[in-house]
Amino acid sequence: MKLSARNQFKGIVKNVNEGTVNGIVTIEVNGEAVSATISLNAIKELGLKDGASAIAIIKATEVMVATELPKISARNKFQGVIKSIDEGAVNDIVAIETKLGVVSATISKNAVKELELSVGKEAYAIIKATSVMVGIE
């Protein structure tokens, strides 16, 4: 299956913490932990367990960008360096090179300007665990 989501990271499930309705699945990708909050039904249907292969899938519109690491409830915070900024009419696509891989974020042109983002500048890609989808091959 091909998806339009720009961010797709293959890794290994390191932990599945099941709750009553949802669970938190931790996928290790290049030494980085990606947390995904998904339904128990999805965990069971996908056969997710420690050691299983999985793909963390994140739409670029769900990625926030920061120039300093804030105290924030989002579980996924990846430090990196801006690799490119593709300019659009309203939004720009910011690509941040992290240990995870290149994380793409679609953010407003105003945000790019306010944060003074530029190629080579350090930045953080921040994603809530509820914004991470999990897939298998």
Side-chain angles (χ1 to χ4, degrees), residues 3-115:
L3 300 171
S4 63
R6 292 180 182 272
N7 301 300
Q8 300 179 37
F9 305 103
K10 293 181 182 181
I12 302 295
V13 175
K14 289 298 179 182
N15 187 46
V16 178
N17 185 2
E18 295 185 3
T20 306
V21 176
N22 293 323
I24 299 173
V25 178
T26 304
I27 303 169
E28 185 176 295
V29 179
N30 299 328
E32 292 277 4
V34 180
S35 293
T37 300
I38 62 175
S39 72
L40 283 182
N41 285 343
I43 290 171
K44 293 186 185 332
E45 288 172 8
L46 294 172
L48 299 175
K49 60 185 176 196
D50 292 5
S53 294
I55 304 166
I57 304 163
I58 308 150
K59 291 181 61 174
T61 53
E62 296 296 320
V63 179
M64 294 174 276
V65 176
T67 54
E68 297 177 14
L69 191 58
K71 286 189 176 186
I72 190 168
S73 64
R75 297 293 82 203
N76 300 296
K77 302 176 241 348
F78 305 107
Q79 181 180 13
V81 175
I82 297 174
K83 182 179 176 180
S84 65
I85 301 174
D86 293 332
E87 295 186 25
V90 178
N91 294 318
D92 291 347
I93 298 171
V94 179
I96 303 171
E97 182 76 49
T98 70
K99 289 180 187 176
L100 186 70
V102 176
V103 179
S104 292
T106 301
I107 62 173
S108 71
K109 293 183 81 54
N110 287 342
V112 170
K113 185 177 178 180
E114 289 169 10
L115 293 171

Side-chain angles (χ1 to χ4, degrees), residues 116-128:
E116 299 176 346
L117 300 181
S118 61
V119 172
K121 186 171 184 175
E122 185 175 293
Y124 294 86
I126 302 171
I127 307 117
K128 292 180 60 169

